[in-house]
Short mmCIF file of all heavy atoms in Angstrom, two decimals:
data_model
loop_
_atom_site.label_atom_id
_atom_site.label_comp_id
_atom_site.label_asym_id
_atom_site.label_seq_id
_atom_site.Cartn_x
_atom_site.Cartn_y
_atom_site.Cartn_z
N LYS A 231 -10.76 88.88 35.24
CA LYS A 231 -11.40 88.38 34.13
C LYS A 231 -12.53 87.50 34.50
O LYS A 231 -13.57 87.37 33.82
CB LYS A 231 -10.48 87.36 33.38
CG LYS A 231 -9.20 88.03 32.86
CD LYS A 231 -8.45 87.11 31.96
CE LYS A 231 -7.64 86.11 32.72
NZ LYS A 231 -6.46 86.57 33.43
N ARG A 241 -26.91 75.74 31.34
CA ARG A 241 -26.25 74.65 31.95
C ARG A 241 -26.61 74.32 33.34
O ARG A 241 -26.80 73.21 33.85
CB ARG A 241 -24.80 74.56 31.73
CG ARG A 241 -24.29 74.52 30.15
CD ARG A 241 -22.85 74.23 30.03
NE ARG A 241 -22.66 72.77 30.41
CZ ARG A 241 -22.96 71.77 29.72
NH1 ARG A 241 -23.54 71.91 28.55
NH2 ARG A 241 -22.65 70.48 30.14
N ASP A 263 -31.54 59.58 19.67
CA ASP A 263 -31.98 58.45 18.91
C ASP A 263 -31.29 58.28 17.65
O ASP A 263 -31.16 57.32 16.92
CB ASP A 263 -33.51 58.52 18.65
CG ASP A 263 -34.29 58.04 19.91
OD1 ASP A 263 -33.67 57.52 20.89
OD2 ASP A 263 -35.38 58.59 20.03
N LYS A 283 -2.29 51.97 20.00
CA LYS A 283 -1.16 52.69 20.46
C LYS A 283 -1.19 54.17 19.95
O LYS A 283 -0.60 54.98 20.60
CB LYS A 283 0.10 51.99 20.05
CG LYS A 283 0.31 50.67 20.77
CD LYS A 283 1.68 50.07 20.37
CE LYS A 283 1.60 48.58 20.89
NZ LYS A 283 2.88 47.82 20.53
N TYR A 288 -0.28 60.34 23.14
CA TYR A 288 -0.30 61.87 22.80
C TYR A 288 -0.45 62.00 21.29
O TYR A 288 0.07 61.26 20.43
CB TYR A 288 0.94 62.56 23.19
CG TYR A 288 1.02 62.86 24.71
CD1 TYR A 288 1.89 62.32 25.53
CD2 TYR A 288 0.13 63.88 25.22
CE1 TYR A 288 1.87 62.66 26.97
CE2 TYR A 288 0.15 64.27 26.59
CZ TYR A 288 0.99 63.50 27.51
OH TYR A 288 1.01 63.78 28.76
N GLY A 289 -1.30 63.09 20.93
CA GLY A 289 -1.37 63.42 19.50
C GLY A 289 -0.79 64.81 19.27
O GLY A 289 -0.27 65.43 20.03
N LEU A 335 -8.31 89.25 22.07
CA LEU A 335 -8.93 90.34 22.99
C LEU A 335 -8.23 90.72 24.20
O LEU A 335 -7.74 89.94 25.08
CB LEU A 335 -10.28 89.74 23.47
CG LEU A 335 -11.31 89.38 22.44
CD1 LEU A 335 -12.62 88.90 22.98
CD2 LEU A 335 -11.70 90.77 21.60
N LYS A 459 -23.33 68.82 16.46
CA LYS A 459 -24.78 68.73 16.00
C LYS A 459 -24.90 67.76 14.78
O LYS A 459 -25.95 67.37 14.53
CB LYS A 459 -25.28 70.09 15.60
CG LYS A 459 -25.09 71.26 16.63
CD LYS A 459 -25.54 70.94 18.11
CE LYS A 459 -25.54 71.95 18.98
NZ LYS A 459 -24.04 72.24 19.42
N ASN A 492 -8.80 64.88 22.12
CA ASN A 492 -8.96 63.49 22.30
C ASN A 492 -8.65 62.61 21.01
O ASN A 492 -9.40 62.93 19.97
CB ASN A 492 -10.30 63.27 22.84
CG ASN A 492 -10.70 61.75 23.14
OD1 ASN A 492 -10.72 60.90 22.29
ND2 ASN A 492 -10.93 61.58 24.48
N SER A 495 -11.57 60.03 19.73
CA SER A 495 -12.61 60.75 19.16
C SER A 495 -12.42 61.10 17.72
O SER A 495 -13.29 61.05 16.78
CB SER A 495 -12.98 62.00 19.85
OG SER A 495 -13.54 61.72 21.19
N LYS B 86 -1.67 89.11 25.63
CA LYS B 86 -1.45 87.90 26.28
C LYS B 86 -0.67 86.94 25.35
O LYS B 86 -0.03 86.14 25.86
CB LYS B 86 -2.86 87.34 26.68
CG LYS B 86 -3.68 88.04 27.46
CD LYS B 86 -4.91 87.21 28.00
CE LYS B 86 -5.98 87.19 26.90
NZ LYS B 86 -6.73 88.31 26.63
N ARG B 96 6.94 70.21 21.86
CA ARG B 96 6.00 69.80 20.80
C ARG B 96 6.45 69.99 19.33
O ARG B 96 5.97 69.25 18.49
CB ARG B 96 4.61 70.41 21.22
CG ARG B 96 4.00 69.83 22.50
CD ARG B 96 2.57 70.10 22.64
NE ARG B 96 1.66 69.27 21.70
CZ ARG B 96 1.53 67.91 21.90
NH1 ARG B 96 2.00 67.24 22.87
NH2 ARG B 96 0.90 67.27 20.90
N ASP B 118 3.38 50.24 24.69
CA ASP B 118 3.14 48.91 24.88
C ASP B 118 2.32 48.53 26.16
O ASP B 118 1.77 47.36 26.18
CB ASP B 118 4.44 48.08 24.95
CG ASP B 118 5.19 48.18 23.63
OD1 ASP B 118 4.44 48.31 22.54
OD2 ASP B 118 6.45 47.97 23.55
N LYS B 138 -26.26 56.47 24.04
CA LYS B 138 -26.96 57.84 24.02
C LYS B 138 -26.39 58.72 25.12
O LYS B 138 -26.41 59.91 25.04
CB LYS B 138 -28.47 57.67 24.33
CG LYS B 138 -29.19 56.90 23.13
CD LYS B 138 -30.55 56.77 23.28
CE LYS B 138 -31.11 55.81 22.36
NZ LYS B 138 -32.70 55.68 22.42
N TYR B 143 -24.29 65.57 25.23
CA TYR B 143 -23.73 66.50 26.06
C TYR B 143 -23.60 65.93 27.49
O TYR B 143 -24.48 65.16 27.90
CB TYR B 143 -24.48 67.89 26.05
CG TYR B 143 -24.15 68.55 24.95
CD1 TYR B 143 -25.18 68.88 23.90
CD2 TYR B 143 -23.02 69.40 24.77
CE1 TYR B 143 -24.91 69.86 22.85
CE2 TYR B 143 -22.65 70.23 23.69
CZ TYR B 143 -23.64 70.40 22.78
OH TYR B 143 -23.50 71.24 21.66
N GLY B 144 -22.58 66.31 28.14
CA GLY B 144 -22.41 65.90 29.54
C GLY B 144 -22.30 66.98 30.57
O GLY B 144 -22.62 68.22 30.13
N LEU B 190 -5.09 84.75 37.73
CA LEU B 190 -3.96 85.58 37.32
C LEU B 190 -4.36 86.88 36.53
O LEU B 190 -5.01 86.85 35.44
CB LEU B 190 -2.99 84.93 36.56
CG LEU B 190 -2.19 83.79 37.34
CD1 LEU B 190 -1.41 82.97 36.35
CD2 LEU B 190 -1.53 84.35 38.53
N LYS B 314 -0.62 59.64 32.40
CA LYS B 314 0.52 58.79 32.68
C LYS B 314 0.17 57.39 33.33
O LYS B 314 1.08 56.55 33.16
CB LYS B 314 1.64 59.44 33.58
CG LYS B 314 2.01 60.94 33.13
CD LYS B 314 2.39 61.09 31.68
CE LYS B 314 2.93 62.41 31.38
NZ LYS B 314 1.85 63.53 31.29
N ASN B 347 -14.74 65.08 27.29
CA ASN B 347 -15.28 63.98 26.34
C ASN B 347 -16.01 62.92 27.28
O ASN B 347 -15.41 62.37 28.20
CB ASN B 347 -14.09 63.24 25.68
CG ASN B 347 -14.45 62.25 24.71
OD1 ASN B 347 -14.88 61.12 25.12
ND2 ASN B 347 -14.12 62.43 23.40
N SER B 350 -14.63 58.94 26.91
CA SER B 350 -13.42 58.73 27.66
C SER B 350 -13.63 58.60 29.17
O SER B 350 -13.01 57.80 29.89
CB SER B 350 -12.48 60.06 27.47
OG SER B 350 -11.87 60.07 26.12
#
Side-chain angles (χ1 to χ4, degrees):
Chain A
K231 299 188 282 291
R241 294 196 67 76
D263 288 337
K283 292 182 191 178
Y288 279 112
L335 297 175
K459 310 305 188 288
N492 187 294
S495 287
Chain B
K86 299 188 284 291
R96 293 196 66 78
D118 288 337
K138 292 182 192 179
Y143 279 112
L190 297 176
K314 310 306 188 288
N347 186 295
S350 287

